Amino acid sequence: MVFNIHQLDNLDYDDAEPLLEDYIYRALETFANSKTGKAHIKRNPEGGNWIGTFLEMAYVYGGYTLPKMTKANVQEVMEYILPRKLTLLEPSDTDGAVDELVAFWTFIDEVYKFRSAKAIAKYLRSIETHFPQWMFDPDRGGIAKSFLTQGMAAGFDMTTQEGLDAFRQEYNRNLPAQPPAMPPGLSMLPAKSFEMTTAPPDMQRAFEQMGIELPAEGEMVNPMQLVTQFFGGLMKMDPDAAEQLMAELDDDLEPQAPTRRGTMAELRTSMLRHNLGEEMALSAADQAILEEQTITETAPGNILQDFQTALEIIDDKGIPVSGKRQQISLKALEDLNQRLSNPIQIDLKRPQQKSYPNIHGLYLLLRATGIIDVVTQGKQSRLVLNPAVYDSWQQLNPTEKYFSLLEVWFLRSHPEMLGEERSGPLMVGDRCLQSWSQLTKTVTFDDYNAQNRFVYYPGLENLALMEMFGLVAITQGQPDPGKGWRFKQVKAEPWGNALITLLHNAYRAVDYEWPGALDPTQPLGELQPVLQPYFPTWQQSLLVPRTEFRPGRHIFKVSLGKVWRRIAMPGEATLADFSSLILDSVEFGHDHLDQFTVRTSTGRVLEITHPYADGDLSTDEVKIGNLPLQVGGAMEYLFDFGDCWEFQIVLESIEPESDPESPAGFQKIKKTKTAKRKKSKLPGEILEAHGKAPEQYPEEEDW
């Protein structure tokens, strides 16, 4: 029977649902019999049923069919729907998932020529290392999944009914002392009582199903207590039944995926307010530890010694890094690892930077401080020292160095800097604080499965940094054949308990909102008022790098596949001007939204969107001369969020011009009616054109 890929198009869900199982079977059968499918099956004979799961979840929870699926739809499925709806037992369960889906979408592109197929396959390949993390990220899971992951972390066998029942009983016994977790945002409900009004019908049904009686109309009710009671009832239910009940409620109860940095910052603050809880008592013993600690190159911890070792290896010549993620190359990793105070043992044939969590952590600090830059010449990229920041580092005493690094790590580091795209709103320090409760007692690990709980939260690189900063002591073990870092024990140090308690209370004192987390151009020293009473020699902090405006004629190479254009833009022009010229160069209409994506000098991802899109920076507000791009640096330009035309842009050179200087940083351009009237034509020019541009709207094939 021939597979009709359009079978579900334009059908109501009720009509399509009975056809879905057979549709998925036919899709898999057709793929398996194709040239691409046969090649994939030969490489992976066992398979993982990821294609079927993907198609089912995409349609059931998103309403997406294959012919109409876009890259944005696939992102939603991979980053939100699958992590929320699908529960796995261990990270290895994701092995082969991306390979299988890439092969399937390659087959779709080759056979059906759908416009988005290439972009989808490319996107899937780009998330190969992120997908396992998303699937085990507790912030992305639903109630049932949260219940299962908590049970597994507590050591219960959640694959059996006996294990489920045992953990449910244990959980319910602890409810009075540990209120159930609520979705971010609900913890911000007002604490004072108000008169009860008529509850929505779906909420009434939910409370009735749990056997909880709602207050009568007119009766005074505390909303926080009511919500706590509701989620307490949910956790007493069977996890699947609780998940189904939540799915039937209004969408208002479920937090939506954040779409802009402002929303991400609000979500982060809300999560911390709820999860970090009440103030921690700083005991007399803790205060004594803080007062008696002297900061040296090797105490507490070896962070200053190891950081200096990394700087010396980079020196004036720099070290090679990979092109895309800009991480340290394989050749330099082993040498750097052996020079560190606590080298890590691994047994991997082709290790990557993240295979050495100690180096991965140091790289995070190098990027977050801005003490290094990434410079690209031709096809080779190198890490080099930023002279101004490095000179500032050399002027600091050990106390100032230690706390500058600590502040950068806790307040300004984000997983994005390690190439972890779409990794949620929490900064690295937030994750360390939330994970600390697991480390307050000595923790032992019998095998890799036991230590996996730290792989994604707070991350092995942060665990290694905790040891370098002297917060914990780690007992290493011999790695298994073909495996990475093995540690047998993690023990919190007295210095770690004292410092984390102080930081925890500092977070609460500022209501979890640090200016430097929102604006990395702010000078360091936000922790100085908290720590300086104990460490009076902390007088100066590390210099924060800034992007200075660069006047001149910027020469860009703009590529769309094998088609490319060379375009010149003045530093005073905006990205909106640049996007218009890019579209003109390939004869595309200007009838869709667009977005530029560029990494800052510290590795943060900066998205600059069309003025009509939902974003914090828009393309008509950012000048070309303010872009945080080195010559040889690259950024992406996405046009049309449906068809996803993805352009790659490289800054090839900057030719001098006598343009007036603008202030440093991203300065929003003041728009006036006069300025609009004076604008006669687009600034910039197309210097070279190679290759025939594709049709923006190719004719649909007749099926």
Side-chain angles (χ1 to χ4, degrees):
M1 182 177 178
V2 177
F3 172 52
N4 178 9
I5 198 169
H6 295 272
Q7 183 181 15
L8 303 183
D9 293 357
N10 304 318
L11 291 181
D12 292 334
Y13 180 82
D14 290 341
D15 295 329
E17 195 274 336
L19 307 174
L20 184 59
E21 183 177 352
D22 183 67
Y23 180 87
I24 293 173
Y25 173 79
R26 297 296 176 191
L28 290 170
E29 182 182 46
T30 306
F31 167 68
N33 290 326
S34 69
K35 180 179 179 181
T36 301
K38 290 177 180 177
H40 175 75
I41 293 170
K42 185 176 181 180
R43 294 192 305 270
N44 305 273
E46 294 183 3
N49 198 33
W50 279 99
I51 299 171
T53 301
F54 173 88
L55 294 177
E56 180 181 6
M57 295 287 187
Y59 187 77
V60 172
Y61 295 104
Y64 306 134
T65 61
L66 278 170
K68 298 183 178 181
M69 209 174 296
T70 66
K71 175 187 169 185
N73 299 151
V74 175
Q75 283 182 274
E76 181 182 352
V77 175
M78 300 300 292
E79 298 176 28
Y80 298 102
I81 293 177
L82 283 175
R84 179 172 176 78
K85 299 298 181 182
L86 186 62
T87 302
L88 304 177
L89 296 180
E90 55 185 60
S92 61
D93 289 342
T94 62
D95 291 352
V98 169
D99 280 340
E100 187 171 316
L101 291 171
V102 167
F104 179 73
W105 278 100
T106 302
F107 151 73
I108 292 293
D109 174 53
E110 292 171 348
V111 176
Y112 298 100
K113 310 296 184 184
F114 292 151
R115 287 202 301 263
S116 296
K118 276 191 173 69
I120 290 172
K122 182 179 178 181
Y123 159 75
L124 288 168
R125 180 57 68 196
S126 74
I127 66 168
E128 189 166 11
T129 59
H130 310 304
F131 183 60
Q133 301 175 28
W134 298 337
M135 291 302 296
F136 287 86
D137 184 347
D139 296 331
R140 295 174 186 258
I143 292 172
K145 184 169 182 178
S146 175
F147 181 86
L148 289 171
T149 53
Q150 287 182 61
M152 288 187 286
F156 289 83
D157 183 0
M158 305 301 281
T159 63
T160 66
Q161 188 61 46
E162 292 79 6
L164 287 168
D165 293 340
F167 178 63
R168 187 181 294 110
Q169 293 173 8
E170 178 70 17
Y171 190 95
N172 291 339
R173 278 197 297 269
N174 294 327
L175 277 177
Q178 181 183 355
M182 292 178 291
L186 289 182
S187 58
M188 299 302 295
L189 288 171
K192 66 179 184 178
S193 301
F194 61 85
E195 289 188 2
M196 182 70 182
T197 58
T198 303
D202 52 359
M203 184 61 74
Q204 291 184 32
R205 289 193 300 271
F207 272 80
E208 289 173 3
Q209 186 173 338
M210 289 185 289
I212 300 175
E213 184 176 353
L214 281 168
E217 288 187 42
E219 185 178 338
M220 298 302 291
V221 60
N222 183 299
M224 180 62 75
Q225 292 177 354
L226 189 62
V227 170
T228 301
Q229 187 180 19
F230 173 76
F231 281 95
L234 278 177
M235 296 312 297
K236 293 179 181 180
M237 297 175 61
D238 177 84
D240 292 330
E243 193 75 65
Q244 180 63 31
L245 186 149
M246 286 294 289
E248 294 171 355
L249 294 176
D250 290 338
D251 290 339
D252 291 342
L253 280 177
E254 186 171 329
Q256 298 299 310
T259 56
R260 47 184 300 184
R261 287 203 184 276
T263 307
M264 293 286 273
E266 293 168 5
L267 178 57
R268 170 191 170 269
T269 304
S270 177
M271 293 170 69
L272 291 178
R273 285 193 185 110
H274 177 69
N275 293 333
L276 290 186
E278 299 180 357
E279 184 173 357
M280 296 169 62
L282 190 65
S283 67
D286 290 335
Q287 293 186 53
I289 289 169
L290 292 167
E291 291 168 353
E292 295 169 6
Q293 180 66 60
T294 299
I295 307 295
T296 69
E297 294 291 322
T298 55
N302 295 296
I303 183 62
L304 297 187
Q305 178 179 294
D306 287 341
F307 193 77
Q308 186 62 39
T309 297
L311 293 177
E312 290 170 358
I313 286 181
I314 295 171
D315 63 37
D316 296 332
K317 298 179 181 178
I319 56 175
V321 293
S322 60
K324 184 176 182 181
R325 293 198 175 185
Q326 300 178 337
Q327 295 186 355
I328 299 172
S329 67
L330 176 61
K331 292 181 180 179
L333 288 173
E334 187 173 353
D335 176 48
L336 176 55
N337 178 56
Q338 291 303 318
R339 295 195 196 187
L340 298 180
S341 54
N342 290 308
I344 282 177
Q345 298 182 60
I346 62 175
D347 189 40
L348 299 170
K349 291 183 178 180
R350 291 193 57 81
Q352 304 174 39
Q353 179 181 289
K354 68 178 181 179
S355 305
Y356 295 95
N358 51 354
I359 297 177
H360 212 36
L362 287 171
Y363 177 86
L364 176 67
L365 294 183
L366 290 167
R367 291 306 302 262
T369 56
I371 203 168
I372 58 168
D373 288 325
V374 178
V375 176
T376 303
Q377 294 180 338
K379 295 183 178 180
Q380 178 63 64
S381 298
R382 301 183 71 83
L383 282 186
V384 299
L385 295 176
N386 180 311
V389 183
Y390 183 61
D391 181 64
S392 169
W393 171 260
Q394 292 178 305
Q395 307 306 313
L396 303 180
N397 63 44
T399 300
E400 292 165 340
K401 288 180 177 180
Y402 182 94
F403 288 119
S404 290
L405 292 181
L406 180 77
E407 183 170 317
V408 165
W409 179 34
F410 260 67
L411 308 190
R412 305 201 180 194
S413 295
H414 189 275
E416 278 182 347
M417 298 174 178
L418 296 173
E420 304 293 336
E421 299 173 359
R422 302 186 179 275
S423 47
L426 294 181
M427 304 296 286
V428 165
D430 307 336
R431 295 165 181 260
C432 292
L433 282 177
Q434 292 197 45
S435 304
W436 185 254
S437 60
Q438 302 178 54
L439 301 168
T440 52
K441 297 180 181 179
T442 301
V443 187
T444 57
F445 307 92
D446 296 329
D447 52 30
Y448 280 96
N449 288 333
Q451 72 180 49
N452 274 345
R453 69 168 112 164
F454 290 135
V455 170
Y456 303 122
Y457 210 85
L460 295 186
E461 67 278 359
N462 291 308
L463 193 63
L465 283 174
M466 286 181 184
E467 182 181 42
M468 291 186 212
F469 276 94
L471 307 183
V472 301
I474 298 176
T475 302
Q476 295 196 50
Q478 290 292 330
D480 290 352
K483 293 285 189 177
W485 186 31
R486 175 78 173 94
F487 48 91
K488 294 183 175 181
Q489 187 181 86
V490 178
K491 180 182 179 181
E493 297 281 26
W495 163 253
N497 279 318
L499 184 60
I500 290 295
T501 300
L502 194 64
L503 292 175
H504 180 282
N505 294 338
Y507 269 64
R508 293 187 74 256
V510 298
D511 201 19
Y512 311 104
E513 295 183 356
W514 298 99
L518 299 174
D519 180 8
T521 64
Q522 294 289 321
L524 288 174
E526 291 177 271
L527 290 179
Q528 203 165 358
V530 179
L531 287 159
Q532 195 179 47
Y534 300 99
F535 301 93
T537 56
W538 184 4
Q539 297 295 320
Q540 301 181 77
S541 294
L542 186 66
L543 176 72
V544 173
R546 302 193 67 189
T547 301
E548 301 295 333
F549 178 83
R550 295 178 301 192
R553 193 167 180 251
H554 292 61
I555 310 299
F556 295 97
K557 183 178 180 180
V558 182
S559 304
L560 182 62
K562 295 182 180 180
V563 175
W564 62 270
R565 306 289 185 254
R566 182 164 284 117
I567 298 176
M569 297 295 298
E572 289 290 341
T574 67
L575 283 178
D577 300 326
F578 191 22
S579 65
S580 294
L581 208 55
I582 291 172
L583 297 176
D584 287 350
S585 75
V586 291
E587 299 180 350
F588 279 13
H590 297 213
D591 50 350
H592 293 285
L593 303 182
D594 53 25
Q595 172 180 286
F596 288 88
T597 302
V598 60
R599 283 192 180 272
T600 67
S601 60
T602 60
R604 291 302 303 268
V605 175
L606 191 65
E607 294 178 343
I608 309 165
T609 57
H610 190 283
Y612 294 160
D614 188 14
D616 287 346
L617 279 174
S618 58
T619 54
D620 61 349
E621 296 173 335
V622 177
K623 291 183 177 182
I624 297 293
N626 284 124
L627 287 172
L629 274 183
Q630 299 283 344
V631 172
M635 63 179 176
E636 294 181 355
Y637 172 63
L638 174 65
F639 175 67
D640 187 347
F641 296 165
D643 284 344
C644 297
W645 293 100
E646 294 181 328
F647 296 77
Q648 301 299 316
I649 301 174
V650 175
L651 176 60
E652 294 186 321
S653 63
I654 302 176
E655 299 174 352
E657 275 185 2
S658 57
D659 288 353
E661 290 191 3
S662 290
F666 285 96
Q667 303 294 325
K668 293 190 175 183
I669 298 167
K670 185 176 181 181
K671 307 184 194 76
T672 64
K673 293 181 179 179
T674 304
K676 286 186 176 180
R677 284 197 298 270
K678 288 182 178 179
K679 186 177 178 180
S680 57
K681 66 176 183 178
L682 286 176
E685 61 178 313
I686 302 169
L687 303 178
E688 293 183 55
H690 289 256
K692 182 180 179 182
E695 294 183 34
Q696 184 178 357
Y697 301 110
E699 294 183 6
E700 296 286 349
E701 295 195 29
D702 187 12
W703 299 92

